[in-house]
Amino acid sequence: MAIEARQRKDFQHFHTITTRWMDNDAYGHVNNVVYYSWFDTVVNQFLISNGVLDIETSPVIGLVIETQCNYLASVAFPDVVEAGVSVTKLGNSSVRYEVGIFKNAEDSAAAQGHFVHVYVDRHSRRPTAIPEPMRQLLQTIQAG
């Protein structure tokens, strides 16, 4: 079953990431584990830069409970990557992000997948409601 590549228009927020020499593996392309780091980077960059997450002091934090990625085209250093993100499900304490990885200003994703956060109390690690300012921000990138 062929997977259809998502397009830039499918995502509401983008963050540019420069590949590094060390991202390439022995096969001459970016290793699969690096893509998950890019997923984490675009989601947290969006939250931090918009002032709804302080990684040191926020009383509510997001824990990753699920990730998935499909690789559609090779990416290698020195490609420039733009990671696109949209919210596709916004629950009481969880959010599902769809992420697309685009290389060198191409319109079709080189990789795509999802990333799920469950928001918990920083100290007890028990699920808690997504704070209202964060919820309002997440709604600005909600798909459909």
Side-chain angles (χ1 to χ4, degrees), residues 20-39:
R20 305 164 302 168
W21 176 254
M22 67 183 250
D23 293 336
N24 284 2
D25 62 18
Y27 302 114
H29 62 251
V30 171
N31 189 270
N32 59 296
V33 300
V34 175
Y35 290 79
Y36 289 103
S37 174
W38 293 342
F39 283 20

Side-chain angles (χ1 to χ4, degrees), residues 106-117:
E106 293 178 359
D107 284 328
S108 294
Q112 62 197 31
H114 69 266
F115 187 88
V116 178
H117 266 156

Side-chain angles (χ1 to χ4, degrees), residues 22-127:
M22 67 183 250
D23 293 336
N24 284 2
D25 62 18
Y27 302 114
H29 62 251
V30 171
N31 189 270
N32 59 296
V33 300
V34 175
Y35 290 79
Y36 289 103
S37 174
W38 293 342
F39 283 20
D40 210 7
T41 296
V42 68
V43 168
N44 285 294
Q45 176 273 334
F46 178 70
L47 299 173
I48 292 166
S49 68
N50 283 287
V52 297
L53 176 65
D54 182 317
I55 59 172
E56 294 178 4
T57 63
S58 289
V60 174
I61 58 173
L63 299 181
V64 176
I65 63 157
E66 180 180 308
T67 62
Q68 179 270 329
C69 186
N70 294 110
Y71 306 94
L72 308 169
S74 184
V75 175
F77 175 83
D79 290 331
V80 174
V81 167
E82 287 181 282
V85 64
S86 291
V87 168
T88 56
K89 184 176 181 202
L90 186 56
N92 182 54
S93 63
S94 67
V95 59
R96 179 182 168 124
Y97 304 94
E98 296 296 322
V99 181
I101 301 298
F102 299 86
K103 70 175 184 173
N104 302 327
E106 293 178 359
D107 284 328
S108 294
Q112 62 197 31
H114 69 266
F115 187 88
V116 178
H117 266 156
V118 168
Y119 284 88
V120 299
D121 177 85
R122 176 183 292 272
H123 301 291
S124 72
R125 296 296 202 255
R126 301 294 305 152

Side-chain angles (χ1 to χ4, degrees), residues 4-14 84-88 97-100 102 107-109 112 141-144:
E4 188 174 330
R6 292 195 178 103
Q7 303 299 302
R8 283 182 180 273
K9 65 178 177 53
D10 298 328
F11 300 93
Q12 278 67 45
H13 173 77
F14 289 87
V85 64
S86 291
V87 168
T88 56
Y97 304 94
E98 296 296 322
V99 181
F102 299 86
D107 284 328
S108 294
Q112 62 197 31
I141 64 165
Q142 198 158 9

